[in-house]
Amino acid sequence: MSDRPRNNIFHIGMRNFKTALAATLCAVLYFVLSGIPGLHFTRNPTFACIGAIFGIGTDMGHSWVSGGNRFFGTIIGGFIGMGLFHLYVQFYPDGQLRPLMFLFLFVGVMVLVLACLISKWPGGIQPGGVVLCIILFNTPVDTYISYSLNRMFDTGVGFAMALLVNLLLPRERLVRWLEKIHMRKPEQK
């Protein structure tokens, strides 16, 4: 493996493989669960797959940081979005966009940034902001709570899958397996 030039743009590395595997395993898990009679599992795997893609790092430490950013940001942004949207529909039960929403967005982003900085997880600001904006501007009144909770849950499933893949398939193990497949001996120095 190490004799392969790294500047080849068509190089499929370990992280590429593990990212694709984690996302695919999430989709397969959701497909299998949806086929179990009586389970009534009708979830869409999209956000679990996104969580898995964000969650794969070069090693477990990087996975915790990159996936944790996504997961933590989604949770914080989701709860802030739910709270603000709940306040908003008290004023406008139809949920139609009105100027008050701009103030709620401003306050929500400020609270999100502060929450992420106070908790020492500034990488959660961007994914949390995405969830916050989606909840405030793109979620129907009757589903904003379930949408928010589903986003948090599915992102957590993806993050957990990424951690599991990185834990079970560390680079060293994959290199050994590939060397055996290619009947190559490890390079000796």
Side-chain angles (χ1 to χ4, degrees):
M1 291 295 303
S2 61
D3 56 318
R4 179 177 234 171
R6 288 281 186 189
N7 59 358
N8 182 351
I9 62 171
F10 297 109
H11 172 72
I12 296 176
M14 300 299 164
R15 186 172 176 188
N16 183 324
F17 173 78
K18 291 192 294 186
T19 302
L21 179 63
T24 302
L25 287 174
C26 282
V28 168
L29 175 66
Y30 278 55
F31 175 77
V32 168
L33 291 175
S34 70
I36 297 175
L39 187 58
H40 305 293
F41 188 88
T42 58
R43 304 178 75 81
N44 184 310
T46 302
F47 294 108
C49 294
I50 292 169
I53 291 167
F54 270 84
I56 289 290
T58 54
D59 56 27
M60 283 299 286
H62 286 109
S63 284
W64 274 107
V65 172
S66 59
N69 287 341
R70 176 74 182 181
F71 186 54
F72 182 77
T74 298
I75 289 173
I76 296 297
F79 279 124
I80 292 170
M82 278 192 295
L84 290 172
F85 200 86
H86 177 75
L87 285 174
Y88 184 75
V89 297
Q90 300 308 305
F91 294 100
Y92 303 106
D94 61 1
Q96 292 297 313
L97 181 62
R98 302 226 169 58
L100 182 60
M101 184 60 83
F102 306 133
L103 175 63
F104 280 21
L105 173 64
F106 183 85
V107 169
V109 171
M110 295 290 288
V111 170
L112 171 72
V113 170
L114 288 173
C116 289
L117 293 176
I118 289 169
S119 63
K120 300 191 184 329
W121 211 297
I125 295 169
Q126 290 87 356
V130 168
V131 173
L132 175 65
C133 291
I134 290 171
I135 292 169
L136 292 179
F137 295 116
N138 203 35
T139 307
V141 173
D142 57 339
T143 62
Y144 75 95
I145 293 174
S146 62
Y147 175 83
S148 303
L149 294 174
N150 287 337
R151 281 289 301 265
M152 291 179 220
F153 176 81
D154 293 336
T155 299
V157 168
F159 178 42
M161 186 64 75
L163 291 177
L164 183 65
V165 166
N166 244 347
L167 178 68
L168 296 176
L169 298 175
R171 179 177 187 78
E172 300 77 28
R173 183 175 296 150
L174 286 174
V175 168
R176 281 194 316 267
W177 288 350
L178 289 174
E179 287 172 344
K180 286 179 184 178
I181 290 170
H182 293 292
M183 293 191 279
R184 292 175 50 188
K185 294 180 183 177
E187 292 180 352
Q188 296 183 359
K189 296 183 180 186

